[in-house]
């Protein structure tokens, strides 16, 4: 039987825990998601019918602070997926040294089949259902796949109506007008670009001469492509989204592609400047850097052998399965793991939360420079740990992250 996503994630965790000789008592505690809420809730559709939906919110571990992590809307959302994503958030927050534990949520729904009003009613009702579980000091959601600043605005308003005060810090990734942070939109992509550049520097590759392929052209993929293209002068030769994939060996004009996507209901299908290729071909292109920025399990043991990229910088969460990881490492591919590469989003979410709690807002230069500094510091810590234990980047990142959470548990002790 195929392994569940959580079992796959535990394998990666377990390997790092073995290498660092983690205390088995602490290990037992860290392996399990602390709390999960499952909600079944009704939504009145535009035609008057009532439809039932299932949603989840999981807090994996809160030893270092309140839970933090996005909420995803997707027809394939499951309890297993949400718990795994929460597990990964614990390590990501710890790796960036943020005062948070890991959380994640999701609703099993295809939002493209809902009208805007239906989406609003679903969002508000879901947030009401989980309202007692979350809070500014308890668990702070954010956007993830198919949720955005507008959805966060509905969440804040719903929570505020029940709390009786403007609870702006209850979610991050909000519109700037209601307590959002400048630079949050681009933050994950900026972090991907910064870590890609650090990896190139460490391994003696000039990023301005690098070719890049990006899978997924949503928030993470499009900003990764844009920043690599604009700020680091890398040549982004291929991009895909769920609708299509395009390739131009001379480099795509990413701003032009974003403009096209935004005028084409959010999809790149039909883009006139570039050769249409298949989704598989994009992943298998002979490029320097591949950024998988769509969903989990994009690279598995089925296609790992065909990957020709020299660096994989994981924009998405869990895009490479543990089996594929082994194949890629044996081929000499350098993989910058998700908990490091895509941590820019949660880092600026942290900045947003701090700004909300203080009601004092920072400017874009401040956000970008603080983010870049923190991403570089995390990268350097991982690189140092990689040398110390003679392991790959992923294992090193887990060792750094697990050690910080383990130390929090040691200091706090096990209640009672
Ligand atoms: P999004 O919904 O904005 O974009 C997802 C993109 O992936 C879309 O362009 C979609 O068309 C594309 N896609 C879906 N299936 C595909 C396929 N089979 N082939 C090619 N493209 C496909 O979501 P997002 O926020 O960009 O999140 C993407 C990934 O990054 C997820 O794994 C998410 O958990 C992770 N992530 C997001 C953030 C964030 O700040 N948004 C932070 C960290 C990690």
């Amino acid at each position: 039987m195929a392994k569940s996503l959580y079992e796959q994630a535990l394998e990666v965790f377990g390997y790092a825990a073995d290498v660092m000789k983690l205390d088995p008592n602490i290990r037992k505690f860290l392996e399990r998601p602390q709390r999960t809420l499952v909600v079944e809730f009704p939504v009145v559709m535009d035609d008057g019918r009532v439809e039932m939906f299932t949603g989840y919110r999981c807090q994996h571990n809160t030893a270092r602070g309140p839970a933090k992590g996005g909420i995803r809307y997707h027809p394939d959302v499951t309890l297993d997926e949400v718990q795994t994503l929460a597990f990964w958030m614990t390590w990501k927050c710890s790796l960036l040294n943020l005062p948070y534990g890991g959380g994640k949520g999701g609703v099993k729904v295809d939002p493209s089949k809902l009208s805007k009003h239906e989406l609003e009613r679903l969002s508000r009702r879901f947030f009401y259902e989980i309202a007692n579980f979350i809070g500014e000091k308890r668990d702070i959601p954010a956007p993830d796949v198919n949720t955005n600043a507008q959805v966060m605005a509905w969440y804040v308003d719903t929570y505020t109506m029940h709390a009786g005060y403007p609870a702006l810090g209850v979610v991050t990734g909000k519109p700037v007008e209601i307590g959002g942070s400048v630079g949050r939109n681009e933050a994950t992509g900026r972090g991907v670009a910064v870590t890609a550049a650090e990896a190139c520097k460490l391994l003696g590759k000039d990023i301005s001469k690098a070719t890049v392929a990006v899978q997924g052209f949503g928030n993470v993929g499009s900003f990764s492509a844009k920043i690599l293209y604009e700020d680091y002068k890398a040549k982004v030769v291929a991009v895909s989204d769920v609708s299509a994939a395009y390739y131009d060996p001379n480099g795509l004009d990413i701003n032009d592609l974003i403009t096209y996507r935004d005028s084409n209901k959010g999809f790149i299908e039909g883009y006139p400047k570039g050769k249409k290729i298949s989704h598989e071909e994009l992943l298998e292109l002979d490029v320097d850097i591949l950024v998988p920025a769509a969903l989990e399990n994009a690279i598995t043991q089925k296609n790992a052998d065909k990957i020709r990229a020299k660096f994989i910088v994981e924009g998405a969460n869990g895009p490479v399965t543990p089996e594929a990881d082994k194949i890629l490492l044996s081929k000499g591919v350098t993989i910058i793991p998700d908990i490091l590469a895509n941590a820019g989003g949660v880092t600026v979410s942290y900045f947003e939360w701090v700004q909300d709690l203080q009601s004092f807002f920072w400017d874009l230069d401040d956000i970008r420079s603080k983010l870049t500094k923190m991403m570089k510091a995390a990268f350097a810590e991982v690189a140092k740990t990689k040398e110390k234990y003679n392991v790959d980047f992923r294992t090193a990142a887990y060792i750094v992250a697990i050690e910080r959470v383990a130390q929090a548990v040691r200091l706090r002790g096990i209640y009672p």
Side-chain angles (χ1 to χ4, degrees):
M1 212 175 81
K3 285 190 195 116
S4 71
L5 198 61
Y6 202 88
E7 284 166 337
Q8 287 183 30
L10 275 181
E11 239 177 76
V12 176
F13 169 89
Y15 182 66
D18 287 343
V19 173
M20 67 193 284
K21 299 191 173 52
L22 180 65
D23 174 342
N25 285 314
I26 292 181
R27 179 170 177 161
K28 257 184 244 172
F29 178 32
L30 300 186
E31 278 176 345
R32 306 281 275 268
Q34 206 173 327
R35 302 185 193 107
T36 313
L37 179 65
V38 182
V39 295
E40 306 269 352
F41 59 99
V43 177
V44 180
M45 309 309 278
D46 289 346
D47 62 4
R49 264 178 321 113
V50 170
E51 263 198 43
M52 293 299 296
F53 293 91
T54 308
Y56 309 91
R57 183 74 192 170
C58 171
Q59 295 160 3
H60 168 259
N61 185 285
T62 51
R64 283 174 49 86
K68 187 89 192 80
I71 291 176
R72 172 179 293 197
Y73 290 172
H74 197 280
D76 298 338
V77 163
T78 58
L79 179 65
D80 173 54
E81 185 187 57
V82 169
Q83 289 183 325
T84 310
L85 289 161
F87 178 80
W88 287 332
M89 284 307 295
T90 298
W91 314 123
K92 194 181 300 182
C93 292
S94 171
L95 182 57
L96 269 289
N97 222 344
L98 309 178
Y100 288 138
K104 204 78 178 195
V107 178
K108 198 173 181 61
V109 60
D110 180 352
S112 70
K113 302 225 162 71
L114 303 184
S115 71
K116 188 168 180 204
H117 288 300
E118 288 169 341
L119 186 66
E120 177 174 353
R121 285 196 292 275
L122 174 133
S123 298
R124 288 181 179 278
R125 180 63 192 234
F126 172 62
F127 214 63
Y128 166 77
E129 294 288 343
I130 65 168
N132 290 333
F133 198 62
I134 55 165
E136 290 150 303
K137 296 193 177 152
R138 203 174 275 157
D139 179 355
I140 306 116
D144 193 72
V145 174
N146 291 327
T147 55
N148 54 23
Q150 174 61 77
V151 174
M152 298 305 118
W154 292 327
Y155 286 165
V156 163
D157 188 66
T158 302
Y159 193 88
T160 292
M161 289 302 125
H162 291 271
Y165 66 96
L168 299 183
V170 71
V171 294
T172 57
K174 299 176 294 290
V176 178
E177 295 81 355
I178 51 169
S181 177
V182 290
R184 172 60 184 89
N185 254 356
E186 62 163 41
T188 308
R190 183 163 295 279
V192 167
V194 171
T195 42
E198 290 297 289
C200 285
K201 198 160 60 177
L202 187 73
L203 298 167
K205 169 97 203 156
D206 179 355
I207 193 157
S208 70
K209 298 202 170 68
T211 52
V212 182
V214 180
Q215 181 208 32
F217 206 59
N219 176 283
V220 180
S222 63
F223 278 112
S224 299
K226 182 179 163 73
I227 295 164
L228 281 165
Y229 164 77
E230 270 183 0
D231 292 11
Y232 293 92
K233 311 295 174 215
K235 200 195 281 180
V236 182
V237 295
V239 160
S240 69
D241 72 1
V242 74
S243 71
Y246 290 96
Y247 172 64
D248 182 345
N250 298 315
L252 294 159
D253 177 342
I254 299 303
N255 290 321
D256 188 54
L257 191 53
I258 290 174
T259 306
Y260 179 83
R261 176 200 66 185
D262 293 347
S263 65
N264 190 42
K265 298 193 173 117
F267 298 109
I268 63 171
E269 167 84 70
Y271 186 62
K273 303 173 203 165
K275 180 175 168 240
K276 193 166 181 183
I277 57 172
S278 71
H279 284 99
E280 293 75 31
E281 281 172 307
L282 178 129
L283 292 172
E284 296 162 13
L285 284 173
D286 188 5
V287 287
D288 295 308
I289 303 172
L290 173 64
V291 180
L295 289 169
E296 300 91 75
N297 297 347
I299 304 172
T300 66
Q301 56 191 346
K302 289 202 188 105
N303 59 354
D305 220 15
K306 299 191 198 125
I307 302 293
R308 286 184 288 168
K310 293 165 196 70
F311 294 81
I312 295 179
V313 184
E314 295 184 336
N317 288 311
V320 176
T321 64
E323 292 83 8
D325 208 63
K326 288 187 196 111
I327 299 170
L328 292 165
L329 289 177
S330 72
K331 279 164 51 119
V333 180
T334 298
I335 306 173
I336 307 302
D338 46 10
I339 61 168
L340 175 60
N342 71 30
V346 70
T347 302
V348 176
S349 270
Y350 164 60
F351 298 163
E352 178 176 335
W353 180 74
V354 168
Q355 293 170 82
D356 288 335
L357 297 187
Q358 298 184 341
S359 296
F360 181 69
F361 290 86
W362 317 342
D363 65 24
L364 188 57
D365 284 348
D366 228 7
I367 299 278
R368 284 180 175 168
S369 69
K370 283 190 169 74
L371 170 64
T372 303
K373 192 170 159 200
M374 285 176 74
M375 293 299 304
K376 285 186 175 175
F379 186 93
E381 189 72 26
V382 172
K384 198 171 85 190
T385 306
K386 179 182 185 303
E387 287 302 306
K388 178 175 167 193
Y389 288 94
N390 190 23
V391 288
D392 58 291
F393 277 100
R394 191 186 309 281
T395 307
Y398 271 85
I399 291 173
V400 175
I402 294 168
E403 181 44 39
R404 288 201 185 115
V405 182
Q407 180 62 0
V409 173
R410 269 182 223 116
L411 289 166
R412 289 177 55 159
I414 303 283
Y415 183 83

